[in-house]
Amino acid sequence: MTHTLLLYCLVFLLPTESCRTLYQAASKSKEKVPARPYGVCNGVCTDNSQCTQPCPPDTQGNMGFSCRKKTWHKITDTCRTLNAVNIFEEDSQLVQPFEDNIKISVYTGKSETISDMLLQKCPTDLSCVIRGIQQSPRIPGNIAIIVQLLHNISTALWTGVDEEKMRSYSTIANHILNSKSIFNWTFIPDRNSSYILLHSVNSFARRLFIDKYPVDIPDVFIHTMGTTISGDNIGKNFTFSMRVNDTSNEVTGRVLISRDELWKVPSPSQVISIAFPTIGAILEASLLENVTINGLVLSVILPKELKRISLIFEKISKSEERRTQCVGWHSVENRWDQQACKMIQENSQQAVCKCRPSKLFTSFSILMSPHILESLILTYITYIGLGISICSLILCLSIEVLVWSQVTKTEITYLRHVCIVNIAATLLMADVWFIVASFLSGPITHHNGCVAATFFVHLFYLSVFFWMFAKALLILYGIVIVFHTLPKSILVASLFSVGYGCPLVIAAITVAATEPGKGYLRPEACWLNWDMTRALLAFVVPALAIVVVNLITVTLVIVKTQRPAISNSMFQEVRAIVRISKNIAILTPLLGLTWGFGVATVINDRSLAFHIIFSLLNAFQGFFILVFGTILDPKIREALKGR
């Protein structure tokens, strides 16, 4: 039997402690049991079929299995050893559940009965169940009983929670918060158990009365701290340092209350904070959520006057390729919610969050995105493409210098090449600043440098589009009015006002409106913020609006130039307008398509295909301008042949 039960434990991946306990129990038992191993269902395994099997000897309950891919997989487990008798210390000293000649009595009492007996036997400190609980294996049925017990205690005790009761309560919770029990939470039939536990601990701590001295209850998997505060304090902070994943590595978490907030609090008031290193993983396991907690979970119980706190989370995983989100646990909808917090600062080691505690949000943490983009291929595409783009733009400007006197003999061609030169120059500056921004390690360590780099990248990329828009205005002016009604100097000044003035106004307003609240930059990169302030719209909206206007302009040119009545005096200018229109008709969709995929990467940041397409199109913009704006122009080719 012992070998069979050991095989059972290995097959179904029960935690080490649970397997060891059950194995010892089976080894000592003298009862005869069937030869068929536990956890093996009878009958043929067909997809979606289910079966139920009894628990191993000396435990009550059963295990549920489901057939997937011709293999039985355990889905529920109610196996338990705790009951209303052996959970109490004085009874557990007399009745050892795993002695050779003792058989566990069938569990007949409900968890409410256990809590009633607890409050009768040891109402002052709740300690009479601690030994019985600590000696029990952390199997799913026992976990469920302890969760219900803690819930009932937190509901029954409305007043009179002192430090001793809190210490006992934490010890009980610490037993099932052990990192070795995380796997077993997945088999508890009631998926609500994990957040019932979190809510119960917070509710019980909310009733804790702090007398004269601060409270500090440091269990391994739950650490409670509390103190009194008043308006004349310079500020308060709680610092936790706890081990995660049964390793010697510790992560820290800090709760900071500023002096400005403390002024709002009537004296005296109390503040309580609780740190959990494993509850995040337990919530993920029991609720089957596709999110990963990447720090301690910090609960804070504050006076209602406090509206803002700062939380500093050290990251468990220091990966720089994963996004981090500050979140609060929504106690009604039972999910992590980004609306409760906002990111203030982040680097590879830690994240700083500003959060709003309330009745809905008491517990906070940071999430790590489960999706990792293959950034290496994106990096290669970006830098190779930018290198080609910069070389193409330099070549474009060099060609314009060589042929300038030959291709700018008329006013319309002069203005056209002014636009081409400035489009190439602004894109060249944008690419250079983009490379500068990419070499900065991020807003955390180079905040001012990132602000400057982002401002110039924003300014010059906008200028590219506004110079395209200036070309479109030039076409409209030539068609609707007549070119020679205004001096060339006024037209040039107007083009420069559109090409540089409008982008400068938009970029300046964006940084002035968002930077004071630290919402100008993304936490992870030197570029316009999206999650907090939607500052990126200050680039996307003007750029895509210009794309639409330019395409409408090209359509209008096609309609106008198809009219048969064109005088000989206007023939050359009409040909120039058509040439500009062809240029815009090619470049505008390319540039618009580029940033259209940029918007797609914001909306669906998990799609590697969108990121690759965007990187390719964005990095080769300079090459497009060289080919379609310069080389394919027959006048420029003729001038180069003459050279």
Side-chain angles (χ1 to χ4, degrees):
M1 173 190 171
T2 57
H3 299 293
T4 302
L5 188 57
L6 181 59
L7 177 62
Y8 156 80
C9 289
L10 293 174
V11 169
F12 293 103
L13 301 176
L14 284 173
T16 306
E17 182 177 349
S18 302
C19 287
R20 184 171 61 250
T21 305
L22 295 177
Y23 180 78
Q24 292 172 351
S27 300
K28 295 180 180 179
S29 176
K30 295 181 180 180
E31 297 180 9
K32 295 181 179 180
V33 295
R36 182 175 58 82
Y38 289 91
V40 178
C41 293
N42 292 323
V44 180
C45 178
T46 59
D47 284 349
N48 299 321
S49 60
Q50 296 184 347
C51 78
T52 302
Q53 291 294 301
C55 291
D58 301 320
T59 60
Q60 295 91 45
N62 55 63
M63 297 175 287
F65 295 84
S66 177
C67 181
R68 297 192 300 271
K69 297 181 180 180
K70 307 299 181 181
T71 305
W72 290 109
H73 296 270
K74 185 166 69 171
I75 56 174
T76 60
D77 187 335
T78 61
C79 299
R80 60 187 181 273
T81 61
L82 289 175
N83 56 50
V85 176
N86 62 17
I87 197 172
F88 290 97
E89 180 179 336
E90 62 268 24
D91 296 314
S92 63
Q93 291 175 348
L94 301 174
V95 182
Q96 296 297 328
F98 296 124
E99 285 297 326
D100 294 353
N101 56 353
I102 298 296
K103 183 180 179 181
I104 292 295
S105 59
V106 177
Y107 174 67
T108 57
K110 296 182 179 180
S111 55
E112 288 85 356
T113 304
I114 297 176
S115 62
D116 292 341
M117 294 174 64
L118 171 63
L119 296 177
Q120 291 174 9
K121 292 191 175 188
C122 51
T124 58
D125 58 4
L126 310 177
S127 62
C128 55
V129 295
I130 290 178
R131 181 177 297 182
I133 287 175
Q134 288 181 327
Q135 291 179 346
S136 66
R138 300 179 185 90
I139 53 180
N142 285 349
I143 293 174
I145 289 175
I146 296 171
V147 168
Q148 190 62 48
L149 173 62
L150 292 171
H151 172 69
N152 292 335
I153 294 172
S154 67
T155 304
L157 289 180
W158 288 94
T159 58
V161 178
D162 56 14
E163 185 173 351
E164 290 303 315
K165 285 190 180 72
M166 190 71 223
R167 194 175 297 277
S168 297
Y169 195 92
S170 296
T171 302
I172 298 170
N174 185 74
H175 181 71
I176 56 175
L177 288 169
N178 193 300
S179 56
K180 296 178 181 178
S181 71
I182 294 174
F183 181 73
N184 278 344
W185 284 82
T186 61
F187 301 120
I188 299 176
D190 185 2
R191 296 294 180 188
N192 301 337
S193 296
S194 55
Y195 59 77
I196 287 175
L197 174 63
L198 179 61
H199 177 73
S200 300
V201 173
N202 291 338
S203 297
F204 193 81
R206 193 179 296 276
R207 302 183 183 101
L208 173 62
F209 175 73
I210 301 174
D211 194 6
K212 296 180 180 179
Y213 305 103
V215 171
D216 190 356
I217 306 172
D219 287 302
V220 178
F221 300 102
I222 174 173
H223 188 173
T224 305
M225 299 177 71
T227 188
T228 56
I229 59 174
S230 59
D232 57 355
N233 292 133
I234 60 173
K236 286 289 183 181
N237 76 83
F238 299 108
T239 301
F240 302 92
S241 182
M242 307 183 78
R243 290 188 301 163
V244 294
N245 300 330
D246 284 334
T247 67
S248 58
N249 297 327
E250 293 189 345
V251 296
T252 60
R254 299 182 69 188
V255 179
L256 306 176
I257 306 174
S258 67
R259 183 173 185 177
D260 293 338
E261 285 292 317
L262 288 176
W263 278 112
K264 305 174 185 178
V265 179
S267 300
S269 299
Q270 60 183 40
V271 176
I272 299 167
S273 185
I274 310 168
F276 305 87
T278 57
I279 192 67
I282 289 172
L283 286 166
E284 178 186 357
S286 60
L287 298 179
L288 305 178
E289 289 192 342
N290 193 26
V291 296
T292 302
I293 295 295
N294 199 27
L296 299 177
V297 174
L298 298 178
S299 293
V300 287
I301 297 158
L302 307 171
K304 62 182 180 180
E305 291 82 7
L306 285 179
K307 304 298 183 183
R308 294 284 188 277
I309 57 169
S310 296
L311 302 172
I312 302 177
F313 298 95
E314 182 183 353
K315 296 180 180 180
I316 297 172
S317 172
K318 306 297 194 292
S319 172
E320 296 184 359
E321 297 179 342
R322 294 181 184 264
R323 281 190 173 181
T324 299
Q325 298 172 333
C326 298
V327 291
W329 181 258
H330 198 297
S331 59
V332 174
E333 298 179 2
N334 299 313
R335 61 177 177 83
W336 292 110
D337 194 328
Q338 298 181 49
Q339 301 303 315
C341 300
K342 68 176 182 179
M343 181 77 70
I344 301 301
Q345 287 185 329
E346 182 193 11
N347 55 32
S348 61
Q349 301 297 315
Q350 66 179 22
V352 181
C353 306
K354 184 82 75 174
C355 299
R356 298 179 290 106
S358 65
K359 290 183 179 180
L360 286 180
F361 299 105
T362 303
S363 302
F364 306 92
S365 191
I366 53 174
L367 296 184
M368 179 175 65
S369 170
H371 302 278
I372 302 179
L373 292 175
E374 301 295 333
S375 59
L376 191 60
I377 186 172
L378 296 179
T379 301
Y380 284 138
I381 290 173
T382 300
Y383 285 109
I384 292 174
L386 282 176
I388 295 173
S389 183
I390 289 173
C391 292
S392 299
L393 292 169
I394 293 173
L395 181 58
C396 175
L397 293 172
S398 301
I399 291 173
E400 288 290 338
V401 170
L402 285 174
V403 301
W404 183 263
S405 60
Q406 295 171 273
V407 297
T408 58
K409 294 179 179 180
T410 66
E411 188 172 276
I412 182 63
T413 55
Y414 175 84
L415 296 173
R416 171 182 177 265
H417 283 278
V418 166
C419 292
I420 284 288
V421 166
N422 280 280
I423 289 172
T426 52
L427 184 56
L428 177 61
M429 293 301 297
D431 287 345
V432 170
W433 276 105
F434 183 89
I435 293 174
V436 171
S438 68
F439 277 105
L440 297 175
S441 59
I444 300 299
T445 54
H446 296 93
H447 182 79
N448 293 334
C450 271
V451 170
T454 301
F455 175 81
F456 285 114
V457 171
H458 184 201
L459 171 65
F460 287 117
Y461 273 131
L462 271 183
S463 292
V464 174
F465 281 93
F466 273 94
W467 274 105
M468 293 290 292
F469 180 55
K471 289 182 69 176
L473 293 179
L474 192 63
I475 293 173
L476 290 175
Y477 181 75
I479 292 176
V480 176
I481 313 177
V482 180
F483 270 100
H484 302 293
T485 56
L486 288 175
K488 186 168 68 173
S489 59
I490 294 179
L491 290 174
V492 171
S494 300
L495 292 178
F496 273 83
S497 297
V498 172
Y500 291 111
C502 294
L504 181 60
V505 170
I506 294 173
I509 291 175
T510 303
V511 68
T514 58
E515 176 55 22
K518 303 301 180 184
Y520 182 60
L521 302 173
R522 294 188 178 191
E524 73 280 3
C526 299
W527 184 226
L528 297 173
N529 187 283
W530 173 255
D531 295 322
M532 287 173 55
T533 60
R534 300 292 193 265
L536 183 59
L537 291 176
F539 171 73
V540 172
V541 171
L544 297 187
I546 289 172
V547 170
V548 174
V549 171
N550 285 7
L551 293 178
I552 294 173
T553 302
V554 170
T555 304
L556 183 61
V557 169
I558 294 173
V559 173
K560 288 280 187 180
T561 55
Q562 283 181 344
R563 294 179 179 178
I566 300 178
S567 63
N568 291 332
S569 61
M570 291 290 294
F571 183 71
Q572 294 297 326
E573 291 183 353
V574 169
R575 287 188 61 185
I577 290 172
V578 171
R579 191 176 297 117
I580 299 174
S581 301
K582 288 180 179 178
N583 187 250
I584 291 180
I586 294 172
L587 284 179
T588 294
L590 283 173
L591 296 179
L593 186 64
T594 296
W595 292 101
F597 276 101
V599 175
T601 62
V602 173
I603 296 172
N604 184 12
D605 64 348
R606 300 176 183 179
S607 173
L608 182 61
F610 280 162
H611 282 269
I612 291 176
I613 294 172
F614 174 62
S615 297
L616 280 170
L617 292 175
N618 190 46
F620 287 96
Q621 285 183 91
F623 178 73
F624 297 150
I625 289 174
L626 172 66
V627 173
F628 297 109
T630 303
I631 294 178
L632 293 182
D633 188 329
K635 291 290 185 182
I636 291 180
R637 291 203 302 272
E638 289 176 12
L640 287 175
K641 287 179 182 179
R643 283 280 183 175

